Amino acid sequence: MKKIIVDIDNTLWDFASVFYERITKVNPDFVPPRGWHTFDFWKAYLTPKEFYGIIRDIHMDQEKFPPYPQADHFLFMLKESGFYVIVASHREKGTFDATERWLKHNNLIFDELHISHDKTVLFDDCSAIVDDSPVTLKKAVKAGIIGVGLKMPWNEKEDCILFDDLTQLFQYLKKELL
Ligand SMILES: [Mg+2]
């Protein structure tokens, strides 16, 4: 059974909008998501403590936010096609329960939930990863697996395989892996 890693933030739900809303409460000068052209743009506006604190708070509040409309169907189609799905998110360990409840509450089906600061440990055993981080996607390609993601302001100028929606992304995975 082929294994696929599926990221959560900005892959299964719109993390960026909530993040922007909360950051502007700390620093009103923060640019909106369409201006986030690199993965570490935030360093000009926030301290690491502020940045990681906001992210952790959002992850603890995960159940307040809806997934993307296509997210449940996307995971369903992966399962229907015979893939083993590892939902993997770069989060603090303490957010595991809130994350799991959110997935179950929203019918986001999966085989395994991986919460850690390094999802590349899963690469050896997997055929592909779906993620918006250009850093992670490039590591995937280097490890010899497929790396694909939704097109975002912070990855669109990078040399990555990107799609406008999860349906197109699923079709690509199906073509490449089945
Ligand atoms: Mg992400």
Side-chain angles (χ1 to χ4, degrees):
M1 199 182 238
K2 286 187 173 165
K3 293 185 176 182
I4 289 192
I5 305 161
V6 179
D7 169 46
I8 297 182
D9 296 334
N10 301 314
T11 294
L12 294 180
W13 79 287
D14 183 12
F15 173 87
S17 297
V18 174
F19 186 53
Y20 176 61
E21 189 190 310
R22 294 204 182 183
I23 315 172
T24 48
K25 287 177 188 153
V26 179
N27 184 340
D29 297 331
F30 213 90
V31 287
R34 63 175 179 278
W36 301 355
H37 294 306
T38 61
F39 220 64
D40 59 357
F41 68 94
W42 57 270
K43 288 178 178 166
Y45 302 90
L46 297 170
T47 66
K49 194 172 176 238
E50 287 168 333
F51 178 76
Y52 293 110
I54 293 167
I55 291 175
R56 182 174 202 282
D57 289 347
I58 295 171
H59 288 155
M60 289 307 284
D61 288 346
Q62 184 68 62
E63 289 164 279
K64 292 180 184 166
F65 312 113
Y68 285 139
Q70 293 182 326
D72 59 344
H73 188 66
F74 173 67
L75 291 169
F76 175 79
M77 290 307 289
L78 288 177
K79 288 297 297 166
E80 274 286 295
S81 307
F83 292 110
Y84 182 94
V85 177
I86 304 175
V87 169
S89 184
H90 186 139
R91 298 179 177 214
E92 288 188 23
K93 291 271 184 224
T95 66
F96 187 97
D97 290 349
T99 307
E100 188 179 41
R101 282 197 302 271
W102 179 76
L103 290 165
K104 289 184 174 165
H105 177 75
N106 289 291
N107 292 318
L108 299 168
I109 51 172
F110 60 97
D111 294 292
E112 209 176 303
L113 174 59
H114 175 91
I115 301 288
S116 80
H117 292 297
D118 183 14
K119 55 182 95 169
T120 66
V121 297
L122 301 167
F123 284 2
D124 277 355
D125 206 23
C126 294
S127 305
I129 180 166
V130 183
D131 205 293
D132 61 296
S133 158
V135 178
T136 302
L137 293 179
K138 284 175 186 174
K139 283 181 182 170
V141 172
K142 217 170 178 183
I145 69 170
I146 290 175
V148 281
L150 291 177
K151 194 184 288 174
M152 297 289 168
W154 50 90
N155 63 26
E156 65 184 356
K157 291 190 176 72
E158 303 280 344
D159 184 19
C160 298
I161 302 167
L162 304 167
F163 294 92
D164 290 323
D165 63 58
L166 289 171
T167 302
Q168 291 174 25
L169 197 154
F170 170 74
Q171 293 301 336
Y172 176 82
L173 288 173
K174 204 172 150 185
K175 178 168 67 74
E176 293 296 315
L177 294 171
L178 297 178

